[in-house]
Amino acid sequence: MSRPSPSAPNIPRLIEQLSSADAPTAAAAVEREARAAARLDRNALRLAQSGAVPAIVRALQSPDEHAAKDAAAVLAGVARVAPDLVVETAGSALVAALTSWGDGDVAANVTMAFKELAQRKPSSVAAEPGALQALASALRSANDGTIYNAAAALGWCASASSSVTRRVASTPGTLAALCAVVTSDRAPHVISSAVCALMEIHRVGGGDAAVRIVSTPGAADALTQILQSGELSLARAAADVLGDAARAGPEHARAAATPAALTALASAAGRDGLLVNCIAALDIISAASQQLALRVADAPGAEAALLAALTGSDAYAGTNAARAFCCIAGADIGRVARLVSATPAVLLALSSQLQSKEAFLVEGSMPAGEAGTPHRTLVAGLLDLPGAPLQALAAALRSADNDLAVWAGVVLSALVGVSAAQAQRVLSAPDLMQAVIAATSHPDQLAVGNALGIVRIAAQKFDGGYATRLACAPGALQLLVRTLGSAEDLAAANAAMILAYACRADAGLAQRVAAVPGALRALAGQLSRGEGDAAPAAASALLCVATDGSSPRPEVLRRLAAEEGVLPALAAAVQRGGVTGPNSLCLLSAAVLVGEEQLVRLVSGAEGVIPALVSAMRTIADEATALYAARALEQIAATSPQDLGRSVLDAGAAEAAVQAMARGSDQVVSGLLQAMLAVDAAKVAAVLAAALPPPYTAATIRARTALASAPLSLGPVAVKALAHAAEAAATLRARAAVLEALASAAAVEVDAARPRACAGCGLQGNTAGAGRLRPCAGCSGKGPAGCVLYCGADCQRAHWRAHKAYCKRAAAAAAAAERSAPGGGAA
């Protein structure tokens, strides 16, 4: 058996000394052990294993400051080797000591113990009640050591997990105190500790933590100071804090974008290792709003920093700078255009980005204004720059990378919109049209829409032949028809407009489009959506397929009328009005005016067509457009007066004609009235007579002329008699309307004025012995007498003979009113 080392202390004696009632004895023992634990970990481990820690905790709780200071130092040493033991035995005592001693050496040693514990058991420190708040308060100490240790402890706690980080960041006063330390005149190592803690909170907490930091009073100054510091990694982290906060929303971006912070970002971007982070932050802030984009542009040094990044060798910094310029251009495109004109290297950089296979580079390569259209200065010389930007974009259009294909389409669309010469140059480039056709099969429908937009813009602004060239390319027509069914509004709209431009000038192509299975039905489906750009584009395409603008294509119209769902979709579009209405009306009218009885019957028999034509006459103020509807109705009525004519008349065509008269549309109504008179002269005369009573309008004069003309040929006396009759009828209708309103209100008044009593026995509802009063089911509240009540079946049967006549009439009147109401099912 080995003999114990003569230097090994007597542990029981040590514990006895630590627990001695003699304060000097206990203090001396604690001081001795504090020195020993600070020198060697094995001494601290000996104390942990000996059972002396509880006695040291008692010394920490001593009112003797010297003893408490040394006890805290001992616990800091033991925490290095046995953190679990210290947390369990001394956690609450350390919190109490830090709270009670506040400043001085005791607090410095307690925070040192917390620092050692947090480095090894951060979650345990964060879970100790009051520990985080005590450490936050310690950051405001006058003692540098206390602040240094407290900041380090909080930083270590924040490293534990995102949930612990949130607790640290949300502890009242923590972030504000750390920011205050950063901007203070403390020793450099103290400031560095606070900076590290802030950056650790952001590193683990991400965007949420960044928002909390930036929203803290004094944070902008703190982050600005960190950006200006010599610590490269910390300055990068500060830039990331500003960028992450700005990404969370405009209000947070405004908090991040202080003039000092923007100037610091611009300045720091010129230092090695900070370019990417600082330019990224400027990009994100610029993207938050147009006001912030201009604030970035106005910041001292920001434009120079962005230009240097754009024309530099770092691809990521370059595209972030280009994106920032995109945002600035959205607020002031002229400013960016002037900058580009003054800096030729910018276009070279943009060209290089266009030729990249990285989607984010292509996206940032073309600064655009608020409407999404690049300024002429930005694209005027782009295609003449070194390399092959156009070929690169054509290849990108085919890319399997969704973003790359989408942005290639955007840039090419911008290029073709500059001038007719440039559109010709772009669309004549080798493989460009083939690339557009290939892109039509892209799985990303936005990429499809942007690719087709290249041709649509050129055809719309300069020459419809581009659309014909695309539609006639091998295999393209089927792809365009397939795109008509796209759920992406832009893709369907561009495909429809390309077909419209192409078919307008090529009758053969129009017939081919109509013959493609599902083409007409797909256009009708987009028309039925009634919103976005695809609906009006579909209406234009259908019109251009079926007519050449001045004359119909009968064979196409027959096919169109026979296609399921097309005619009802056109009728619904006419009823909705808006941008789809006129073209839909013209198409329906064209089909009718071909004059083929079978086609007329097919069109007029489709759901909603005749009501839609009548509605157009009532609502469309443009006489030329209303004339289409009137001529179509006239043709339908003339084709078969006894059945189709009756349908037109019953749909209100005569009344619509009178309304058109009031707008002065003689040309619209003359032929239609003649057709209506052939159907039922008496009914038309009655409708015309309704325009005769005062007040006299233009319609009055035209109605008198129509009544006096053939085939009615009524003399002045007859017309005068009709006028008197119409005036009397109008008066009677007005009186009847008043009486009906009175009768409708009578039921409520009767119910309110009379007591609730049984109509059979007279017992009132509140009379003893009266049962629950229930209304008669036949006339319940439907007649002018209000609700007729009974207390039971016996009373109702006894009273039926007296009530029968009223009950049946009230129920019949209510049913008739319901049928005649709008949507009530009246024939």
Side-chain angles (χ1 to χ4, degrees), residues 16 24 92 94 156 195 404 520 531 557 593 598 609 612 699 708 736 758:
E16 181 182 345
S92 59
L94 287 169
W156 283 113
V195 171
L404 185 57
L520 299 177
E531 56 186 22
L557 285 166
L593 294 174
Q598 184 177 359
V609 168
C758 175

Side-chain angles (χ1 to χ4, degrees), residues 60-61 90-102 110 114 129-130 134:
L60 176 66
Q61 297 167 327
S92 59
L94 287 169
V95 172
L98 184 55
T99 303
S100 60
W101 286 106
V110 170
F114 272 124

Side-chain angles (χ1 to χ4, degrees), residues 477-499:
L477 186 56
Q478 286 70 24
L479 292 173
L480 287 169
V481 169
R482 185 178 69 186
T483 306
L484 292 175
S486 174
E488 171 59 48
D489 187 70
L490 178 65
N494 285 343
M497 288 308 301
I498 287 171
L499 289 174

Side-chain angles (χ1 to χ4, degrees), residues 796-823:
Q796 187 169 11
R797 280 192 295 270
H799 189 247
W800 176 242
R801 185 182 298 275
H803 177 59
K804 177 179 178 180
Y806 171 82
C807 183
K808 289 187 175 182
R809 288 187 176 91
E818 185 177 349
R819 286 195 301 273
S820 62

Side-chain angles (χ1 to χ4, degrees), residues 108-212:
N109 287 351
V110 170
T111 54
M112 181 170 59
F114 272 124
K115 176 175 73 77
E116 299 293 346
L117 289 173
Q119 186 173 355
R120 294 159 179 83
K121 293 289 180 180
S123 297
S124 297
V125 173
E128 183 66 43
L132 293 179
Q133 188 61 68
L135 289 168
S137 299
L139 291 171
R140 302 192 181 278
S141 170
N143 186 301
D144 277 4
T146 300
I147 299 171
Y148 172 83
N149 290 329
L154 289 167
W156 283 113
C157 286
S159 70
S161 67
S162 57
S163 60
V164 175
T165 302
R166 284 193 294 271
R167 290 178 58 192
V168 172
S170 61
T171 298
T174 300
L175 296 178
L178 287 170
C179 291
V181 174
V182 172
T183 55
S184 71
D185 57 357
R186 297 282 179 188
H189 74 284
V190 177
I191 294 174
S192 179
S193 180
V195 171
C196 290
L198 272 176
M199 297 304 100
E200 189 66 17
I201 289 171
H202 168 253
R203 184 188 70 80
V204 180
D208 178 66
V211 168
R212 285 181 177 273

Side-chain angles (χ1 to χ4, degrees), residues 2 6 9 40 44 50 91 102 134 161 222 244 261 308 330 402 441 507 535 563 620 790-791:
S2 62
L40 295 171
S50 68
S161 67
D244 282 353
N402 292 355
S441 298
E563 186 72 38
I620 294 179
Y790 296 100
C791 60

